Amino acid sequence: MSPVFPMLTVLSMFYYMCLRRRARTATRGEMNSRRAIESNTRALPINVEIVQYAKEVLDFSSHYGSENSMSYTMWNLAGIPNVYPSSGDFTQTAVFRTYGTWWDHCPSARLPFKRTPSTFCSQDYVELAFEEPVYPTAVHILETYHPGAVVRILACSANPYSQNPPAEVRWEILWSEAPTKVNGPQARQFTPCIKQINFPTNLIRLEVNSSLLDYYTELDAVVLHGVKERPVLSLKTSMIDMNDIDEEEDEEKFACGMDTLNKQFSIVTLREWPTNGYFDKLPYELIQLILSHLTVPDLCRLAQTCKLLYQHCCDPLQYIHLSLQPYWARINDTSLEYLQSRCTLIQWLNLSWTGNRGAISVSGFSRFLKVCGSELVRLELSCGHFLNETCLEVITEMCPNLQELNLSSCDKIPPQAFNHIAKVGSLKRLILYRTKVEAGLACCLILLHFSISCPMGNERIGQWCVGICRAAQNAIQSDLHKANSPAQYFELLLGAAAPQLGQLCHD
C-alpha cells in the first residue's frame, strides 16, 4: 500500500470529525438561542394593562358632608371623574373634614401622644375597592382643588369581594412622603412613583395630611393601573435609587419590630453577661428617661439584647401613654395579649384605626381592658369597626377613671349601646362624630367637651337641643358637625346653658 493512502485516510477522518463537531456546535447554539428566546418569552409575559376607577368606597375616617347627602362626601370618589380637569370648589368631590393647623392649636385641642414615629403623619384615610385584583403599576389621583394632602398610598392583599377571607391580611406601602405645600389651588393629576408588590390587589388606601393647606383639599377620582400577571423587573427599572434603599430598610425594621409584638420574649434565651458595662453605673430612672424617647418597635428590638434592657423595656412606666395608631396594619389580638403585662399602669391609649377586618376581636379587646383599664384616663377608638355593645359595656365597667373617650366613625355600634356611656361619671370629653347615637344620651351627661354629628332631620332637633343644654351646663367646647339646623338656634341654647362656652363649631 502506498504511504500516501493512509495519510489521505487520516486527513479525511479528521475533516469528517471537524464537520461533525461544527454541526453539533451549530445545533447546540441554535437550541440555546431557542431556549433563551423561550425563557425570555416566559419571563417577560405580554401583559395588557388594566385601567379601572374605584368601584366602591369601603371605609373612611371623616368627610365634610353629612351622612344623608352626596355633597362633599367620600362616596364621590367612586366611579369616573365628576369635575376633573376643572378646578374649583365643587360639591361633587370628596372633601375631608378639616384642614390647616387650627384644630391642633384651638383651646380645646387634645395633647398629642408621644413616641409617634416621625414617618407617620397621617390624619385621615379613605379605602377604595376596585373590580379586578391587579399588580399595581400606577395610581392616579385626580385632585381638583388645593392639592397636596395625600401622604401615603397602601395596597391590601385581601379581596373585599372574595367569599373566602384570607387567614392573614397584609398591607404594603406603595408610596409615602412627608406633607408638602403645593403652590396654587389648581387641579392636577397626582401620579407618584409606586413600588412593585408581590401580590395582586383591588383594595387601595389613601392617607392624607391637610395641615399645610390653606383650604379643604378636594379629590375627584382615583385610577388604578395594573396587570394580571406579576411583572418582572426590566433592565430599565433595575436602576436602584439610594433613597429607596433607605426607605426599604426602614420598612423592614418597622415590620421586624412590630412582628416581635406577637412573640413572647423569653428571658431564658438572653445571653448571660458578667456585667452590663456603663449601664450598671446609671440610675434606673435615667435609663428609663433615655428609653422614653424610643418608639414601640425600637423598645421591642432593644428588649432582645440583654436582661437589664429587657427589664427596662418591659417596665409598665414605659407604657403610661401608648399610641398604636401608627401601627394599625399589624396590631391584632396577639399584640394586645403580649402588651398586657406592660400596660398595667397605662393612662392614655390610642387604638384608633386598629382592629378592622377581624384583626382585633371583641373578646381580645375585652381581655386587654380587664387587665389594663383600671388607670385609663384617655381612650381613643376612632374608626374601630370591631366595637359593639359588649365593648362599651366593658369600657364602662373596667375604666372607672375614664375622662376622654373618642368613638368617632365607629358606625357599627348600635344606638342602644351608647346608654352604657352615661354610667361613666368621670367623663369630661366625648366624641361621637359619625355614630348612631340617639338624642336621649345627651340628657344623661355633663361634659366639658363634646362632639357629635346629627344626621337626623329637623323633626328631632328639639330632643337634641334639650339634651345638649343639659350636657353643656359646664361646657367650654362644643362641636355640632352638620347638625341640620340654623346655627343661631344652637348658639342661643348653648349660650344660655353654658355662659363660659369659649368654642362652638357648627358647619
Side-chain angles (χ1 to χ4, degrees):
M1 180 180 294
S2 173
V4 178
F5 182 74
M7 183 64 67
L8 290 175
T9 304
V10 171
L11 290 175
S12 300
M13 293 179 62
F14 178 75
Y15 180 69
Y16 176 72
M17 292 173 64
C18 290
L19 289 177
R20 287 196 62 182
R21 178 172 294 181
R22 183 178 179 182
R24 288 177 180 177
T25 304
T27 304
R28 190 180 298 114
E30 292 176 1
M31 292 178 62
N32 290 339
S33 299
R34 190 179 299 112
R35 287 171 183 170
I37 294 173
E38 292 175 355
S39 176
N40 291 335
T41 304
R42 288 195 299 268
L44 297 173
I46 301 176
N47 269 338
V48 177
E49 189 174 56
I50 299 175
V51 180
Q52 50 187 333
Y53 291 94
K55 178 182 179 181
E56 184 182 358
V57 177
L58 297 181
D59 188 22
F60 56 91
S61 57
S62 75
H63 57 188
Y64 182 79
S66 61
E67 300 299 299
N68 54 359
S69 171
M70 287 294 292
S71 299
Y72 298 121
T73 61
M74 288 297 119
W75 298 304
N76 288 321
L77 277 176
I80 61 175
N82 300 312
V83 174
Y84 187 84
S86 300
S87 297
D89 187 2
F90 293 91
T91 59
Q92 300 95 330
T93 57
V95 182
F96 291 96
R97 190 184 177 195
T98 64
Y99 72 92
T101 60
W102 182 86
W103 293 88
D104 297 326
H105 297 96
C106 64
S108 64
R110 289 169 291 169
L111 295 175
F113 278 80
K114 298 179 181 179
R115 282 185 166 154
T116 300
S118 58
T119 55
F120 181 79
C121 55
S122 304
Q123 297 175 334
D124 281 293
Y125 74 87
V126 58
E127 294 181 0
L128 305 170
F130 295 80
E131 182 71 31
E132 293 290 336
V134 295
Y135 291 91
T137 57
V139 176
H140 301 311
I141 304 172
L142 307 184
E143 303 172 282
T144 56
Y145 202 40
H146 288 276
V150 179
V151 294
R152 197 155 72 153
I153 304 175
L154 301 97
C156 183
S157 62
N159 185 345
Y161 302 120
S162 174
Q163 299 297 328
N164 302 316
E168 179 184 2
V169 177
R170 292 175 53 198
W171 286 92
E172 287 288 341
I173 299 176
L174 299 179
W175 172 86
S176 179
E177 192 174 279
T180 55
K181 188 174 180 62
V182 178
N183 294 327
Q186 291 77 19
R188 72 170 184 177
Q189 176 179 291
F190 180 52
T191 308
C193 182
I194 64 174
K195 78 170 188 178
Q196 292 186 1
I197 57 177
N198 59 3
F199 59 83
T201 182
N202 61 339
L203 176 54
I204 297 295
R205 175 179 172 123
L206 307 182
E207 295 185 357
V208 303
N209 183 312
S210 306
S211 60
L212 298 182
L213 300 183
D214 298 325
Y215 194 68
Y216 296 97
T217 187
E218 299 189 8
L219 310 179
D220 192 14
V222 177
V223 190
L224 175 63
H225 292 239
V227 292
K228 296 293 289 184
E229 299 293 333
R230 183 178 178 181
V232 178
L233 193 65
S234 64
L235 293 177
K236 293 183 180 179
T237 59
S238 62
M239 301 299 291
I240 300 177
D241 188 359
M242 295 305 294
N243 294 326
D244 294 338
I245 294 178
D246 294 338
E247 292 178 359
E248 290 177 1
E249 288 179 354
D250 290 340
E251 291 178 11
E252 289 177 0
K253 290 180 180 178
F254 170 78
C256 176
M258 290 313 300
D259 287 342
T260 56
L261 283 177
N262 302 333
K263 299 177 182 178
Q264 188 174 17
F265 298 138
S266 176
I267 197 169
V268 179
T269 62
L270 298 176
R271 184 174 178 181
E272 294 286 348
W273 293 93
T275 64
N276 295 300
Y278 288 105
F279 281 102
D280 285 333
K281 300 180 180 181
L282 293 178
Y284 190 93
E285 295 79 4
L286 182 56
I287 299 178
Q288 286 287 296
L289 179 61
I290 295 173
L291 299 188
S292 66
H293 296 279
L294 300 180
T295 62
V296 176
D298 290 336
L299 280 178
C300 293
R301 297 188 198 101
L302 189 61
Q304 300 175 81
T305 57
C306 67
K307 287 186 176 182
L308 177 67
L309 293 180
Y310 176 90
Q311 179 184 359
H312 280 282
C313 292
C314 296
D315 193 316
L317 293 176
Q318 288 291 335
Y319 301 87
I320 298 295
H321 294 177
L322 178 62
S323 176
L324 296 177
Q325 182 180 3
Y327 321 110
W328 58 267
R330 292 179 171 88
I331 299 300
N332 52 30
D333 282 346
T334 310
S335 306
L336 296 182
E337 180 180 353
Y338 290 118
L339 281 171
Q340 284 183 12
S341 60
R342 312 176 194 182
C343 296
T344 54
L345 300 179
I346 190 170
Q347 297 178 5
W348 289 13
L349 176 62
N350 186 359
L351 286 175
S352 296
W353 301 6
T354 65
N356 297 332
R357 294 182 174 83
I360 295 180
S361 64
V362 173
S363 58
F365 175 77
S366 302
R367 286 194 302 269
F368 182 81
L369 279 194
K370 288 177 181 178
V371 176
C372 309
S374 59
E375 302 296 327
L376 267 180
V377 176
R378 176 180 174 182
L379 182 57
E380 304 282 340
L381 297 171
S382 174
C383 303
H385 301 309
F386 66 91
L387 296 173
N388 60 10
E389 184 172 1
T390 301
C391 295
L392 293 192
E393 187 176 0
V394 171
I395 292 173
T396 302
E397 295 176 357
M398 299 299 155
C399 306
N401 301 312
L402 193 63
Q403 298 181 11
E404 300 184 23
L405 178 60
N406 182 1
L407 296 174
S408 62
S409 296
C410 295
D411 52 359
K412 301 295 190 295
I413 304 177
Q416 69 275 8
F418 292 95
N419 294 326
H420 295 287
I421 299 178
K423 302 175 184 178
V424 184
S426 57
L427 204 59
K428 296 181 180 179
R429 184 193 296 267
L430 180 60
I431 302 177
L432 299 175
Y433 167 72
R434 290 191 66 233
T435 61
K436 300 175 182 178
V437 62
E438 294 185 340
L441 173 65
C443 301
C444 306
L445 298 170
I446 304 295
L447 301 170
L448 293 179
H449 310 265
F450 63 91
S451 174
I452 58 175
S453 178
C454 306
M456 72 289 295
N458 289 332
E459 67 276 2
R460 299 187 61 187
I461 288 298
Q463 301 178 32
W464 268 102
C465 289
V466 172
I468 289 172
C469 286
R470 168 69 176 170
Q473 288 181 1
N474 299 307
I476 60 175
Q477 181 259 336
S478 300
D479 180 7
L480 310 175
H481 183 71
K482 297 298 176 186
N484 291 342
S485 69
Q488 62 270 21
Y489 191 25
F490 281 107
E491 290 175 6
L492 290 174
L493 288 170
L494 291 172
Q500 70 274 33
L501 184 68
Q503 180 182 327
L504 173 63
C505 303
H506 180 276
D507 299 308

